[in-house]
Amino acid sequence: MKNLLTDIAGVRVGHADDAKLASGTTAIIFDQPAVAAIDVRGGGPGTREDALLDLANTVERVDAIALSGGSAFGLDAGGGVQAWLAEQGRGFKIRDAVIPIVPGAIMFDLLNGGDKKWGRFSPYRDLGYAAAASAGTDFALGSVGAGLGATTATFQGGLGSASAVTANGVKVAAIMVVNAVGSVTVGDGPWFWAAPFELNGELGGRGLPSQFTPDMLAMRIKGGPAASERENTTIGLVVTDAILSKAQAKRLAMIAQTGFARAIYPVHAPLDGDVLFAAATCEKPIEPLVELTELGMVAANVVARAIARGVYSATALPFPGALPAWKDRFGS
């Protein structure tokens, strides 16, 4: 176990980003189509192919997931991932037609200091293609891919990942892009809200403060009263090797969204666009009540850890007024 999304067999991750743009894209590629669903909790989401994932609709499996910066422009990233998959002959087959199925989600990073004057067409389609083409089992965390331009209320945001195994040997892992309106840390200190779920010092081992003061519990959000819903969003994906139906994947996504609340304060606000996909590679049978509940419980913990790891691993953007990285303030 590498504590990454790719601890799930048959899952690969690739990043593509542009330092001048201060934005990028991350592609999650499934070697075989995976059962998938989506859960949306934030008030300002930006998604691609979310209607396809509705339980009433026909297609149950997806070939990839695209996560991107760039706000609505970043939805083009899914087209780039789709183009790469089409070259591989991957997709949903209707007679001689093959259509790669690539849902996606985006977050707003257009005001982070990067040069967004790209002309007629945005670069996200090309970034999506490059991310898909580079996908492998090892990938970086922090200020990379879709997480390059991410921020939170207090520190630079980023891309994080984590994994775990249930008591019955079912694996679950998450990849998260953390661009939250709220804070991932407690007050002005080094403590992560997700600290109770930390494993093996992955968040610096700082734990929680000995007591919580009113100041620690005060709301810290980007821009204060002037915060805009378009500036924020935490997006991500949980994947398991359990055998799940589309409806069970939806339930997994719903339970796993609890991890947002364990790691971000406040969360699921009108100012956020929080989106979580869930996917199953369908390798191991699972009991549909107690074991699915346990899987969701562990998945929520994994999501919380991945969110905190994204901020813990980030580096500050090289622009005037950029937020500090957590490690700039507190070391490792």
Side-chain angles (χ1 to χ4, degrees):
M1 297 283 283
K2 295 182 285 189
N3 204 21
L4 295 173
L5 188 76
T6 49
D7 286 329
I8 309 298
V11 181
R12 293 177 290 121
V13 174
H15 301 311
D17 49 54
D18 184 323
K20 182 180 178 182
L21 183 71
S23 186
T25 293
T26 295
I28 300 95
I29 307 295
F30 300 105
D31 289 344
Q32 298 296 325
V35 171
I38 186 173
D39 186 54
V40 180
R41 300 284 176 93
T47 56
R48 167 194 163 102
E49 295 276 39
D50 58 319
L52 176 143
L53 298 176
D54 187 281
L55 301 186
N57 292 333
T58 302
V59 174
E60 293 195 350
R61 293 177 180 255
V62 305
D63 298 294
I65 299 288
L67 305 177
S68 186
S71 189
F73 297 103
L75 293 173
D76 287 347
V81 177
Q82 190 176 50
W84 183 84
L85 286 163
E87 290 179 350
Q88 317 309 308
R90 289 282 311 276
F92 185 75
K93 293 178 174 59
I94 304 174
R95 297 203 300 270
D96 293 333
V98 180
I99 306 109
I101 305 300
V102 186
I106 49 86
M107 62 82 169
F108 185 99
D109 59 2
L110 299 181
L111 299 176
N112 62 8
D115 182 3
K116 306 303 194 295
K117 296 179 181 179
W118 49 63
R120 176 173 293 181
F121 298 112
S122 86
Y124 291 99
R125 183 178 175 87
D126 288 338
L127 287 169
Y129 182 95
S134 70
T137 55
D138 290 307
F139 61 95
L141 304 183
S143 300
V144 293
L148 175 60
T151 58
T152 71
T154 52
F155 292 109
Q156 186 69 29
L159 180 142
S161 190
S163 65
V165 183
T166 71
N168 292 319
V170 174
K171 292 181 181 179
V172 62
I175 187 169
M176 303 299 302
V177 178
V178 188
N179 189 55
V181 69
S183 175
V184 176
T185 53
V186 180
D188 294 320
W191 315 284
F192 287 95
W193 289 107
F197 310 101
E198 180 179 8
L199 296 179
N200 303 317
E202 64 192 350
L203 308 177
R206 302 301 182 95
L208 289 172
S210 58
Q211 63 179 356
F212 286 85
T213 64
D215 178 66
M216 291 176 179
L217 299 177
M219 184 171 71
R220 289 170 168 80
I221 61 174
K222 290 182 197 170
S228 164
E229 66 189 29
R230 296 179 299 276
E231 297 179 25
N232 315 291
T233 283
T234 299
I235 55 177
L237 164 70
V238 292
V239 182
T240 179
D241 58 2
I243 299 172
L244 299 182
S245 67
K246 193 175 181 181
Q248 289 172 325
K250 171 71 173 182
R251 180 57 55 183
L252 176 62
M254 292 171 67
I255 302 174
Q257 267 267 21
T258 309
F260 283 55
R262 295 174 183 172
I264 304 169
Y265 185 86
V267 72
H268 298 153
L271 313 171
D272 281 311
D274 299 333
V275 172
L276 186 66
F277 297 97
T281 59
C282 296
E283 298 292 333
K284 298 176 182 176
I286 188 170
E287 188 274 323
L289 298 177
V290 175
E291 289 188 4
L292 180 58
T293 300
E294 180 192 27
L295 179 62
M297 175 188 73
V298 175
N301 296 345
V302 168
V303 166
R305 291 166 48 214
I307 289 170
R309 285 192 86 195
V311 174
Y312 176 75
S313 304
T315 54
L317 292 172
F319 306 120
L323 284 168
W326 186 91
K327 289 181 179 178
D328 291 339
R329 287 275 308 277
F330 304 113
S332 59

